[in-house]
Amino acid sequence: MTHHWTPSHWGRRFTRTPYWQLRRVGAQIELHIDDRVLPVPITAPPSLQVRRGLVWTGLVLFPGQPDAVRLDGLPNRQARSLRQALRDLEQARAQDQRLLDAEAALLAIRAWLAQADAALDQADAEGHWFTSEQQRALLQQRPTLPLDEDALWAVFDDPDLRAQLPGEASRIEAELLRHAQDWTALWDARNAAHLQRELLHSRNLLDRVERQPLTDEQRHAVLCFDNRVQVVAAAGSGKTSTMVAKAAYAIDRGLVAPDRIVLLAFNREAATELQQRTDAALQRLGMQGVQVQARTFHALGRQIIGKATGRLPDVPDWAVDASLGFHRLAELIDVLKDRSHAFRTQWDMFRLVFGRDLPTAGEPTPADGWEADGRHYLHTLNGERVPDIDTCVIADWLFYTGVAYAYERPGHLDPSADTYSQPPAMFRYPCTGLQHVHLASGEEEPASGAGQPPRHAAGLLHTCARQLRSGALFDILGEALSARGIVLDPNPDRELPEGGARPMPDAELIALVRTFISHAKSNALSTEDMAARLQALPEDRFKHRYRLFLQLAAPILQAWDDALAAERAIDFEDMLNQAAEHVEQGRYVPPYTLVMADEFQDASRARARLCRALVQAPGRYLFAVGDDWQSINRFAGADVSVMTGFADYFGHGQVLKLEQTFRCPQALCDVSSAFVSRNPAQIRKRVQSRAPQQGAALRAFQVGSRDQLRDAVAQYLTQLQQQLDSGAAAPGRDGRLRVFVLGRYNADRAYVPTDWKARHGHCMEVTFLTAHRAKGAEADYVILPGMLDRSFPSTRADDPVLSLAMPHGDAYPLAEERRLFYVALTRARRSVAMFSVRGRRSPFLAELVQVGAVTVTSLDGHALSDTPCPACGVGVIVPRTGRYGAFESCSSYPRCEYKPGKVPGLMPTRTTARA
């Protein structure tokens, strides 16, 4: 084989190149030239380029470098052997490099395996859970290998290498296999084995810590000591028992000292119960003198601020009590109205004109009533009936701004003469010659197209839903009217005519603003932040309404903060955020190793932030227990996405479920679970009951009128007493039946018979509660006396403007009302009785009837075979007698005027509104 290469005599003369010689010396190439010897390394990309010419081959050493050397004159016949030599050297170099890389990879693998083994050995020796934090740290330190797995195996599978390492080959193979295995599955299996050992070791404690031995689900939750554990607990599944037992287990096994455990509760009552239950459990286990702390989030936040700043913050009563806070906010809004006519005008415009949102695609269309032919309508402020909310908003805006208009109700239009898919709304403005056609949502936009100016030819103005949603419509319409001499005169005090729509009450708008403030402050959002959220909303949202609301909320929020500053005080949202910031910035180091949070479905973002700050240091544990199906405190700043998006907010951990309930019978569990799970955003659970069935789990009664409801409830209580007297029903736990009458509002207290104590006090206790206040409580029987349309559910439960202040809005219709109804159903240990009025049936009750979960009967048990109204879906078809004889119509008349077989009236009608 050739080992040197040099130019020929003629090659040197014709190319004028100096004498040079390339020599192969071992695994290297050397260039000899001008009494110099230059090493030519074998690299990739190559440091020597071979360029074949017609007769002679040229060489370039170190191409692309300033010191590149150009040579020539090598006969072409020698170039072939030079290229082959270079290829041989490159292959040898690559093989050597692969071996070096493989050796480096093997060393890194061995070091990491030793580290992983040591961590597992330590966890085994200490009897600890191998936590997600430890696993994540090891996976992050797992070496990045210079060769991929296949290339690494190829190196060590080389027969020559295996022959050189006969004793090492099997060891290397085992190490490569161990490194490539699924470590997460291995650690999961290790923790499963650890759990089984702990179940045996702590069996006595878990049997005795509560009055009844813990269930398998509860034991798993207690013993799982990962850094982040979320327990999704069904109603009545014993979540408090689980928290108490976990504290006792941590102390008993020496995992956490008592003074490094804190149990956080939503309110003072819950904190007191947690403290009492924990104290009793520790005493029961013989841990005299041992105590752990149960506190509210706010009490802990106040303490943190005090220790970080040297001064305990003040919280005024009106920032604590919901009722006082509402009245204080109302006072601040009144001051703003007095100071600014513009603010007052805008406040009332929002109430009167923009109180309702526009539905997006797929959402149900709102209705105030139904015509005789089944078509729905909405009432305007001036009393017209209009077919869609777009038209209603325009008419209300015209009325509020003092514009005289004539509304022409759409009738049938000849499709051959009109390009619109539906008849558009028509407004005429007397004395101006202007006609205004509006295409509502879902209709085809005018021919001018998106981005084109509206048509004004011959006094005709076209507008569309897109312009209404953006707010451009009101500018366009205002300019068109002003150009014709109409002066806009917004007047909050303009008298509303009889028969006109009732606007959003002041109290409802104040409550909405209060909820908005809670969410905005909980999420530490500035007005600028929320304006950016508004800008990012999809164009199919009613962005003009959101913009008006934000313009109202901004000065109110400032007034709220100014009122706090005037008293040198903060509110609860400030307290939680400031406390979290002190911990995050290291101004306060929390002493807690184990943080347990109760009722986590009602946590606000500020509460979640504080929890995250408390466990941000290594070696900390968060145990959060809750049920997203029972998240019903949005008005107080609760954000259900803290529960449903737990891993995104707190990091990876364990998600466990308590699906066995000790409260409701299985039939009631099945109905209530299916009902609340219609919302796909809810976490799935399969609730299994340990409670025995005692009679019908769910009943529904209907009376003829609302004033009969209290008597109907009285008759039902009498039936319960008769069952007790006959032995058909067993007494309650203390010898008396416990009965809850649960209302959607406090006004539902009127349905409780005033003489229940005199008649039944010897055998039962009847308590009225709102559904909100009933959460956490239970009774033998639950009565829902007001299952009426527009009563339960409340149709204004979730205003979409709250999405500006919340990270994740719950888009499912009436999502929180659905959860509230679930809470009401699951308070019962035996049975729930629902009461409704003919033609006023709650949509929730109607849904249960539709899926076959319950049959509506009279009080004596006879099934009622009413025909639901196909127009409103609430009323039923009833026989009537009128001037022209017998006929049928909806029982919800006059709200619903539907008559079976009625031919739609197609001729347009006209009404005129005068400012």
Side-chain angles (χ1 to χ4, degrees):
M1 178 180 292
T2 302
H3 290 281
H4 66 274
W5 300 266
T6 188
S8 68
H9 171 75
W10 291 107
R12 289 176 57 199
R13 293 190 64 179
F14 276 94
T15 60
R16 298 183 180 181
T17 187
Y19 181 78
W20 56 268
Q21 187 180 54
L22 283 178
R23 293 180 182 177
R24 177 176 175 179
V25 180
Q28 297 292 327
I29 295 287
E30 291 179 352
L31 172 64
H32 293 255
I33 184 173
D34 297 334
D35 297 327
R36 291 182 298 158
V37 178
L38 300 177
V40 182
I42 305 300
T43 60
S47 57
L48 173 61
Q49 290 183 353
V50 181
R51 298 176 177 178
R52 181 184 176 91
L54 290 176
V55 180
W56 294 285
T57 296
L59 307 177
V60 182
L61 279 69
F62 317 115
Q65 301 297 321
D67 56 350
V69 178
R70 300 182 183 276
L71 306 172
D72 212 336
L74 182 70
N76 282 345
R77 64 180 179 275
Q78 294 188 40
R80 183 180 301 171
S81 65
L82 176 59
R83 285 196 179 95
Q84 183 60 49
L86 292 174
R87 282 194 293 269
D88 293 344
L89 291 172
E90 171 59 26
Q91 290 177 359
R93 185 204 65 80
Q95 179 63 23
D96 291 343
Q97 185 61 50
R98 281 196 295 270
L99 184 57
L100 290 174
D101 289 344
E103 291 174 347
L106 186 59
L107 289 174
I109 287 172
R110 286 173 173 170
W112 187 81
L113 289 175
Q115 187 179 5
D117 290 342
L120 274 176
D121 290 343
Q122 182 179 356
D124 290 339
E126 295 174 348
H128 287 180
W129 193 270
F130 198 64
T131 66
S132 295
E133 182 179 281
Q134 293 171 298
Q135 295 179 28
R136 186 167 56 252
L138 279 172
L139 292 176
Q140 289 173 348
Q141 295 167 9
R142 197 174 186 180
T144 301
L145 303 179
L147 297 176
D148 62 32
E149 187 175 325
D150 291 338
L152 191 61
W153 276 103
V155 171
F156 288 109
D157 277 343
D158 182 83
D160 294 337
L161 179 62
R162 295 178 72 88
Q164 296 174 29
L165 304 170
E168 287 285 302
S170 58
R171 177 189 172 193
I172 292 172
E173 184 174 351
E175 289 169 336
L176 294 180
L177 288 171
R178 280 195 66 204
H179 181 263
Q181 70 182 327
D182 185 342
W183 284 90
T184 300
L186 172 73
W187 292 327
D188 287 345
R190 183 270 173 194
N191 282 334
H194 170 77
L195 178 67
Q196 294 304 314
R197 291 192 297 271
E198 288 299 294
L199 283 170
L200 292 174
H201 187 278
S202 301
R203 180 176 179 179
N204 183 55
L205 180 146
L206 300 176
D207 284 343
R208 296 172 49 235
V209 65
E210 287 283 274
R211 292 188 177 88
Q212 298 293 329
L214 299 189
T215 66
D216 291 343
E217 291 177 332
Q218 291 172 325
R219 290 168 190 252
H220 187 181
V222 168
L223 301 179
C224 177
F225 234 87
D226 209 346
N227 300 105
R228 306 289 181 266
V229 178
Q230 177 187 20
V231 179
V232 183
S237 60
K239 62 181 180 59
T240 303
S241 295
T242 305
M243 294 181 68
V244 168
K246 194 172 189 75
Y249 167 75
I251 297 168
D252 179 71
R253 294 291 280 148
L255 300 175
V256 186
D259 60 349
R260 297 185 67 84
I261 299 175
V262 64
L263 290 81
L264 296 175
F266 189 75
N267 55 38
R268 189 176 301 171
E269 293 79 7
T272 300
E273 180 187 0
L274 265 178
Q275 189 70 66
Q276 293 172 346
R277 292 275 297 271
T278 306
D279 291 346
L282 295 176
Q283 289 293 318
R284 193 180 297 117
L285 293 171
M287 299 184 187
Q288 283 78 12
V290 176
Q291 189 177 43
V292 298
Q293 269 191 341
R295 315 192 66 180
T296 66
F297 283 90
H298 297 113
L300 178 60
R302 187 168 185 261
Q303 174 190 313
I304 290 172
I305 295 172
K307 290 189 175 181
T309 65
R311 176 182 175 273
L312 286 173
D314 293 325
V315 182
D317 291 342
W318 53 267
V320 178
D321 182 87
S323 178
L324 293 177
F326 175 89
H327 291 297
R328 185 72 176 104
L329 187 62
E331 293 171 359
L332 296 173
I333 291 171
D334 285 341
V335 170
L336 289 172
K337 289 179 182 179
D338 292 340
R339 290 177 179 174
S340 170
H341 179 74
F343 177 88
R344 183 184 175 214
T345 299
Q346 192 169 0
W347 173 270
D348 284 302
M349 178 179 283
F350 189 90
R351 286 197 312 109
L352 273 68
V353 181
F354 299 102
R356 285 190 284 201
D357 198 32
L358 296 181
T360 56
E363 291 183 349
T365 302
D368 291 333
W370 290 263
E371 304 279 7
D373 59 10
R375 291 182 298 177
H376 66 267
Y377 64 83
L378 292 96
H379 276 127
T380 68
L381 292 175
N382 194 53
E384 297 101 350
R385 292 183 177 184
V386 297
D388 56 75
I389 193 168
D390 288 47
T391 307
C392 187
V393 170
I394 294 172
D396 290 347
W397 183 85
L398 292 168
F399 177 85
Y400 184 72
T401 55
V403 177
Y405 68 91
Y407 167 67
E408 187 171 292
R409 192 174 185 190
H412 177 73
L413 292 178
D414 183 0
S416 63
D418 192 89
T419 60
Y420 304 130
S421 60
Q422 298 180 31
M426 174 71 79
F427 293 90
R428 301 183 189 273
Y429 304 100
C431 305
T432 67
L434 180 63
Q435 298 181 60
H436 174 194
V437 175
H438 178 75
L439 290 139
S441 301
E443 298 175 3
E444 184 181 338
E445 293 194 1
S448 57
Q452 298 297 319
R455 292 180 286 177
H456 294 278
L460 181 62
L461 173 67
H462 280 84
T463 58
C464 63
R466 173 177 49 81
Q467 295 163 334
L468 175 61
R469 291 176 183 275
S470 69
L473 180 147
F474 304 103
D475 294 331
I476 293 168
L477 182 54
E479 290 172 5
L481 293 171
S482 297
R484 288 163 174 78
I486 301 297
V487 177
L488 302 183
D489 178 28
N491 184 358
D493 298 320
R494 183 169 288 110
E495 184 177 354
L496 298 176
E498 288 292 332
R502 297 300 94 188
M504 175 189 282
D506 270 294
E508 188 171 318
L509 184 50
I510 294 171
L512 176 61
V513 172
R514 180 67 189 101
T515 302
F516 187 84
I517 289 175
S518 292
H519 284 297
K521 300 193 73 172
S522 176
N523 292 294
L525 294 174
S526 66
T527 302
E528 292 74 19
D529 294 331
M530 293 183 283
R533 287 175 172 232
L534 170 59
Q535 188 68 25
L537 285 175
E539 295 305 316
D540 66 343
R541 304 296 286 270
F542 196 0
K543 296 178 77 168
H544 182 62
R545 179 177 186 264
Y546 290 46
R547 189 177 301 110
L548 291 176
F549 181 81
L550 190 55
Q551 290 170 358
L552 284 175
I556 299 172
L557 177 56
Q558 186 61 55
W560 178 272
D561 283 340
D562 290 345
L564 289 169
E567 299 185 27
R568 298 189 65 194
I570 60 175
D571 58 17
F572 277 170
E573 289 81 12
D574 290 332
M575 182 183 295
L576 296 173
N577 278 316
Q578 289 181 21
E581 184 177 358
H582 285 308
V583 178
E584 291 164 352
Q585 300 301 319
R587 293 188 290 270
Y588 173 80
V589 179
Y592 306 112
T593 300
L594 174 59
V595 176
M596 292 195 278
D598 191 17
E599 301 287 1
F600 207 65
Q601 75 280 350
D602 287 326
S604 63
R605 283 276 159 166
R607 285 183 173 88
R609 180 184 176 188
L610 179 57
C611 284
R612 186 169 62 180
L614 291 172
V615 297
Q616 68 183 1
R620 302 294 189 270
Y621 301 86
L622 174 63
F623 186 76
V625 184
D627 181 8
D628 64 302
W629 292 5
Q630 299 184 71
S631 179
I632 59 173
N633 286 313
R634 190 177 189 182
F635 66 92
D639 183 353
V640 70
S641 69
V642 169
M643 186 82 181
T644 56
F646 185 86
D648 295 334
Y649 200 74
F650 295 98
H652 176 73
Q654 304 289 326
V655 178
L656 308 177
K657 295 180 180 180
L658 301 182
E659 297 177 309
Q660 291 186 9
T661 180
F662 301 88
R663 183 186 300 158
C664 306
Q666 189 63 52
L668 191 54
C669 291
D670 293 342
V671 171
S672 58
S673 298
F675 178 85
V676 78
S677 296
R678 290 284 294 273
N679 182 350
Q682 304 286 176
I683 300 173
R684 296 293 170 181
K685 294 192 295 291
R686 191 168 182 269
V687 183
Q688 299 294 314
S689 176
R690 288 192 167 192
Q693 186 85 22
Q694 298 187 51
L698 192 64
R699 304 180 69 184
F701 302 105
Q702 181 173 289
V703 297
S705 61
R706 192 165 185 162
D707 57 10
Q708 296 174 349
L709 284 172
R710 184 164 65 180
D711 289 341
V713 172
Q715 291 182 53
Y716 178 74
L717 293 176
T718 299
Q719 291 176 3
L720 289 182
Q721 181 175 333
Q722 291 171 350
Q723 292 173 17
L724 279 173
D725 294 342
S726 67
R733 293 176 178 175
D734 60 353
R736 297 196 305 169
L737 286 182
R738 192 175 187 191
V739 181
F740 282 168
V741 180
L742 301 184
R744 177 60 183 83
Y745 305 101
N746 279 309
D748 292 340
R749 187 187 300 272
Y751 301 130
V752 180
T754 56
D755 61 347
W756 73 263
K757 185 170 292 188
R759 300 181 63 181
H760 312 294
H762 64 288
C763 63
M764 68 179 70
E765 178 71 28
V766 180
T767 305
F768 174 82
L769 293 168
T770 63
H772 277 98
R773 291 192 61 82
K775 190 161 82 70
E778 60 183 51
D780 297 302
Y781 293 88
V782 166
I783 297 172
L784 303 178
M787 293 302 297
L788 308 176
D789 179 40
R790 296 196 290 182
S791 178
F792 200 167
S794 168
T795 55
R796 287 193 178 275
D798 298 319
D799 196 301
V801 297
L802 294 177
S803 64
L804 296 178
M806 295 183 67
H808 303 287
D810 196 337
Y812 197 80
L814 298 173
E816 182 145 335
E817 288 293 297
R818 185 171 285 269
R819 293 192 289 266
L820 183 62
F821 185 54
Y822 171 80
V823 168
L825 292 177
T826 54
R827 298 310 93 195
R829 290 192 287 262
R830 300 186 187 180
S831 177
V832 176
M834 297 175 287
F835 289 81
S836 188
V837 173
R838 189 180 193 187
R840 291 288 315 279
R841 188 175 295 176
S842 159
F844 285 174
L845 176 54
E847 181 179 324
L848 294 179
V849 172
Q850 184 179 13
V851 299
V854 71
T855 299
V856 180
T857 71
S858 61
L859 280 167
D860 56 10
H862 289 93
L864 301 175
S865 56
D866 292 330
T867 302
C869 173
C872 67
V874 175
V876 295
I877 303 303
V878 296
R880 298 184 187 273
T881 302
R883 181 185 305 175
Y884 303 105
F887 66 97
E888 291 183 325
S889 69
C890 180
S891 61
S892 293
Y893 180 86
R895 185 183 178 216
C896 180
E897 301 173 359
Y898 175 77
K899 296 179 182 178
K902 176 71 175 176
V903 178
L906 299 179
M907 295 301 294
T909 58
R910 179 180 298 178
T911 58
T912 301
R914 298 290 182 185

